[in-house]
Amino acid sequence: GNPWYKPTNPAAIRDFADLGKDQNTTIGRHPEDYTLYQIGEYNDQTGLMTPYDQLNNLGKATQYLEE
């Protein structure tokens, strides 16, 4: 999917988990196909995104269905 901004990792994980539990979303219908990555930092004051050298894997959607 498209990148989206959340102010913290826990907020991103919560929203990703909610999408994984919702059968009306593509992620919810196919959670085994989706992994959440933190790709950088976004400055909402300047609109600039600073990418990380390495992606930070925050987990597959299926793992959040089990929690």
Side-chain angles (χ1 to χ4, degrees):
N2 294 325
W4 40 269
Y5 162 79
K6 294 295 173 185
T8 64
N9 283 351
I13 290 168
R14 182 188 61 238
D15 287 355
F16 185 62
D18 287 346
L19 289 169
K21 294 173 186 172
D22 184 349
Q23 290 294 306
N24 294 316
T25 68
T26 303
I27 295 173
R29 288 189 299 274
H30 308 283
E32 66 281 356
D33 294 339
Y34 291 89
T35 303
L36 179 63
Y37 288 96
Q38 182 183 28
I39 63 171
E41 294 183 17
Y42 175 71
N43 183 322
D44 60 0
Q45 300 296 311
T46 64
L48 296 176
M49 199 277 204
T50 305
Y52 292 152
D53 291 332
Q54 292 186 335
L55 303 179
N56 182 16
N57 184 333
L58 299 176
K60 293 189 73 59
T62 51
Q63 92 181 55
Y64 298 112
L65 297 177
E66 299 164 2
E67 295 178 358

